[in-house]
């Protein structure tokens, strides 16, 4: 006897198919309902977009807390501290660039000292240093709202990218493992790698201020529809967004006199230009010693 065929109505098949590909917004806990509604409305409006949908995030202070110090700074200082008093070239290089950073040497290129500190070691070793310090001191400083926001963007078909002003290889595993951003979508300060060693030869564009916008133009090759940042260093790429611009914990005290802010605080500028302003709790973890303090690095403000 032939088994009876089970007929599934066509409308039921269509329903299952549509449900499988449905794009649904998931509320971001810790942000007000008005912010959630604004983000949801924007993401819904992008459903009809056929071109690439690109979202770009800064790292320190935007998806990971920066108080009391940037992760990149702690990598620099922790690495240099282990090499104090040693006379080999790699150790001297690490200590020299760390003190240059602490003393404000070469400003505004000062942030690049965090990259040059690691010259002479392998990319794998640099990645391991960043990952270990993340687990020890920064794992509790990840902003959970950003994890959910990134999930929402992916739900709506966005490519998610990260750009950091710090050494690229230090952040790639962290951003990939914690936020699910593909390692090939994580850009930072690049140096030439030769014979499996990080060199001191910088590759342009340098991811500082306008350089972050240039990285988008050079490597990502699509004008973003969503950009998130937290500082003046992110403003050029925020302005470049053709869609939503999100600013995290913007400074409301210091007035900057550069050509964009023109004696405004970052918060007042963000309000004036319709940026989506969000707050993420960024506090110093208790009982954790930061090696940056031993080198006199200036602390960042908690939010």
């Amino acid at each position: 006897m032939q088994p009876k065929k089970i007929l599934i109505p066509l409308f039921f098949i269509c329903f299952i198919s549509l449900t499988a590909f449905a794009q649904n917004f998931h509320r971001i806990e810790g942000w007000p309902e008005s912010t959630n509604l604004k983000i949801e409305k924007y993401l819904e409006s992008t459903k009809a977009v056929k071109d690439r949908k690109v979202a770009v995030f800064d790292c320190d202070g935007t998806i990971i807390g920066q108080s009391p110090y940037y992760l990149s700074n702690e990598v620099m200082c922790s690495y240099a501290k282990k090499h104090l008093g040693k006379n080999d070239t790699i150790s001297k290089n690490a200590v020299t660039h760390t003190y240059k950073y602490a003393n404000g040497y070469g400003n505004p290129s000062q942030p690049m000292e965090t990259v040059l500190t690691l010259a002479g070691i392998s990319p794998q070793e640099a990645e391991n240093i960043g990952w270990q310090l993340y687990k020890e001191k920064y794992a509790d400083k990840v902003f959970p709202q950003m994890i959910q926001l990134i999930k929402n963007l992916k739900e709506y078909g966005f490519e998610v990218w990260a750009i950091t002003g710090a050494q690229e290889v230090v952040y790639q595993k962290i951003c990939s493992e914690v936020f699910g951003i593909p390692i090939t979508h994580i850009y930072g300060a690049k140096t030439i790698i030769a014979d499996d060693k990080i060199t001191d030869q910088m590759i342009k564009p340098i991811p500082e201020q306008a350089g972050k916008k240039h990285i988008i133009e050079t490597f990502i090759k699509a004008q973003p529809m969503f950009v998130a940042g937290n500082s003046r260093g992110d403003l050029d790429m925020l302005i470049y967004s053709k869609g939503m611009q999100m600013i995290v914990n913007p400074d409301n005290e210091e007035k900057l006199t550069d050509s964009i802010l023109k004696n405004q605080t970052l918060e007042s500028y963000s309000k004036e230009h319709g940026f989506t302003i969000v707050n993420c709790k960024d506090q110093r973890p208790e009982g954790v010693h930061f090696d940056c303090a031993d080198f006199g690095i200036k602390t960042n403000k908690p939010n």
Side-chain angles (χ1 to χ4, degrees):
M1 181 182 293
Q2 293 291 326
K4 293 182 179 179
K5 293 182 180 180
I6 300 174
L7 299 177
I8 301 175
L10 182 59
F11 77 87
F12 187 68
I13 295 174
C14 293
F15 174 78
I16 292 174
S17 299
L18 289 171
T19 303
F21 291 100
Q23 295 172 317
N24 298 306
F25 179 82
H26 300 277
R27 188 180 186 281
I28 301 170
E29 296 294 332
W31 286 351
E33 194 61 28
S34 58
T35 300
N36 273 278
L37 288 171
K38 182 177 181 181
I39 297 170
E40 181 180 12
K41 182 178 179 180
Y42 175 66
L43 293 180
E44 286 289 321
S45 75
T46 69
K47 281 184 173 181
V49 175
K50 302 300 182 183
D51 296 332
R52 289 173 61 195
K53 296 195 289 188
V54 168
V56 180
F57 288 78
D58 166 55
C59 292
D60 286 315
T62 299
I63 58 177
I64 301 174
Q66 63 180 28
S67 176
Y69 301 102
Y70 299 120
L71 171 58
S72 57
N73 286 8
E74 187 62 12
V75 167
M76 171 184 70
C77 292
S78 294
Y79 179 70
K81 189 174 179 179
K82 293 177 181 178
H83 290 78
L84 287 169
K86 298 180 181 180
N87 292 319
D88 60 282
T89 302
I90 291 177
S91 296
K92 287 181 177 179
N93 173 76
V95 174
T96 297
H97 283 294
T98 301
Y99 277 119
K100 281 183 178 180
Y101 183 95
N103 295 326
Y105 179 87
N107 213 15
S109 63
Q110 182 193 20
M112 292 304 100
E113 303 298 341
T114 63
V115 179
L116 299 175
T117 300
L118 301 178
I121 67 174
S122 71
Q124 185 63 56
E125 186 177 352
E127 178 186 280
N128 292 341
I129 293 168
W131 181 246
Q132 188 60 39
L133 280 172
Y134 163 76
K135 291 192 295 182
E136 291 176 1
K137 303 181 182 183
Y138 287 82
D140 292 337
K141 294 178 66 57
V142 168
F143 296 147
Q145 295 91 346
M146 289 299 167
I147 292 177
Q148 184 58 61
L149 174 59
I150 288 171
K151 288 179 180 178
N152 276 323
L153 286 161
K154 289 182 176 181
E155 177 85 4
Y156 282 81
F158 276 77
E159 304 171 21
V160 180
W161 300 71
I163 299 178
T164 173
Q167 172 59 266
E168 182 177 279
V169 296
V170 168
Y171 278 70
Q172 283 180 322
K173 182 173 182 177
I174 295 167
C175 290
S176 178
E177 294 279 341
V178 179
F179 298 96
I181 301 173
I183 226 167
T184 52
H185 285 198
I186 301 159
Y187 283 91
K190 293 174 177 286
T191 56
I192 291 175
I193 307 296
D195 300 321
D196 197 37
K197 300 295 182 185
I198 295 171
T199 72
D200 60 359
Q201 299 175 64
M202 300 295 301
I203 300 173
K204 294 182 178 180
I206 306 297
E208 282 293 316
Q209 297 192 11
K212 289 190 173 183
K213 174 179 177 285
H214 299 328
I215 281 180
I216 296 171
E217 295 173 299
T218 304
F219 297 114
I220 301 176
K221 302 181 185 298
Q223 189 173 0
M225 294 181 63
F226 179 98
V227 174
N230 76 301
S231 69
R232 170 61 187 90
D234 305 317
L235 198 51
D236 293 84
M237 71 173 183
L238 280 160
I239 294 170
Y240 187 49
S241 172
K242 62 180 179 180
M244 180 172 280
Q245 300 145 316
M246 177 176 286
I247 192 84
V248 184
N249 302 330
D251 184 88
N252 63 351
E253 296 178 1
E254 184 180 10
K255 293 183 178 180
L256 299 177
T257 57
D258 61 82
S259 60
I260 296 178
L261 289 175
K262 297 177 181 177
N263 205 37
Q264 287 182 284
T265 66
L266 189 57
E267 182 180 74
S268 63
Y269 179 92
S270 299
K271 288 180 178 178
E272 181 180 315
H273 289 81
F275 290 7
T276 299
I277 299 175
V278 297
N279 294 105
C280 296
K281 191 174 183 181
D282 179 14
Q283 292 185 340
R284 176 173 179 163
E286 294 182 5
V288 176
H289 176 75
F290 287 87
D291 293 317
C292 283
D294 300 332
F295 287 89
I297 306 295
K298 182 181 177 181
T299 59
N300 298 313
K301 294 188 304 180
N303 296 292

